[in-house]
Amino acid sequence: MFYRVILIYIVFIGLFSCSESKKENPDFAADIAPIIRKNCSKCHVDGGAGPFNLVNYEDVASKGKLITYVTENKIMPPWPADPEYTHFAGETVLSYEEINLIKKWVEQGAIPGDTANLETYKKPENKVDLGKAGMTVFLAKPFLIPGDNSDRFYVVKFPIELPYDTFIRAVEFVPHKKKLVHHMNAHLINYEDGKKSNLHKGPYWINQDQSESVRIHKDLDLLNDDGSYPEMTPSVSNYLPGSQFSFYPHGIGGFRIKKKSALYLNDIHFGPSAKEELDSSYFKLYFGKGPAERPVSEFQIGTLGLSPVVPELIIPANEKKTFYIQFTVPQDISLLSIVPHMHLIGKKFLAYAIKPSGDTIRLIRINNWDFRWQYFYQPKKMLFVPRGSVIYVVGDYDNTSENPNNPFDPPREISEKNGSMKTTDEMFQLILTYVPYQKGDEEKSLE
Ligand code: HEC
């Protein structure tokens, strides 16, 4: 017995001293480069979204203090979802050990270590083989970003003309000016035969602020010729800096596409620029072989959606206020993505489901809402939510002048304004994309 205790003790000391000594004098090559390259470099690299490179020793050492600050305060890497609540595919978060190691390294004067033998960094590629992209879709007129240092939010149509009706497996967005393109959501509009004569009538893009959402379809001339609404497949493509182009497992997510169709971007956000820029971001369509086995659908709840925000989304000036949404899932579903949405004065977002059995399914918690980082969170595996489950969503808003993101100074009353999608008005939404549940779905990986 005594013998065994001693043995365990020795092993423990061994492990402990080994990991401690490594951390005692961390150096760039051995300790810091792996953390930075895994979590930062994909954006902080030539042609990436970040404002400067973080790849090699000099890049990182020269920004040491700032890096300590942004990592300790969880500003970087950007990942608003709380990893202590739920994990998602493609999650980028640093552990406490990693944050502390970076801090220690900076405090000790940024020791380089054996940087000569550090491998050259390679940006991660999309490993998915979708075959050749069938087609690229460009806009006839590039986006204009005036050099006035303000954000731009455009609503856009990308007309598509094909020789025949077919299916697409995935739609990839290819940003042009990567430092400016912030986020983008696209839906697919299909025109039934004979319903739309001219896809190019009307503007290709307009400033979101110049339009009320109810009118956007009209302003962009997206309606059928007789004024009726065409069919729309929601969220066929989404983009945020650093997010991998997402697609679903085989057999899921083929979309029907008609000869005459259009990608409708209800939101593309360009960050501020000091000089005038033209942006020619475009799409790639990957064609599928046959009818979509399991088309993706979505529940949009809250603002403009299936169930109302309670109380009505009005946040008086100088107040902090909490709102709720509740929605009963009408059928057995397998969740593919979870998309929280608020605007500038949103502070916290929480969503979970209570199953008919009384068990809780955690969906997402965001403790510090940041309007700029709106990810489409995909669970690691398809997430089964049984029929009759009740989804609860709780949103906190801060309309005081303490909130640095408040668009008004002094604060003014902010509300939904009938679903105006202006960024200075508010929204409170949860969008869930799903397919009807099939046995074995919960084993299917979305990573
Ligand atoms: C998803 C892309 C992405 C990833 C991953 C990322 N960054 Fe950034 N980073 C940005 C962008 C974009 C900005 C520009 C400011 C902004 O939009 O918030 C930025 C800004 C910064 C800044 C400047 C902040 C300031 O206030 O001036 C620092 C420092 C930084 N990042 C460090 C890091 C570190 C360290 C990591 C990894 C631990 C990291 N970033 C990961 C995209 C990213």
Side-chain angles (χ1 to χ4, degrees), residues 39-40 43-44 49 51-52 54 66-67 70 76-78 241-242 372 375:
N39 298 287
C40 320
C43 295
H44 290 273
F52 42 75
L54 291 177
L66 192 56
I67 290 173
V70 295
M76 289 281 147
R372 289 166 313 159
Y375 285 98

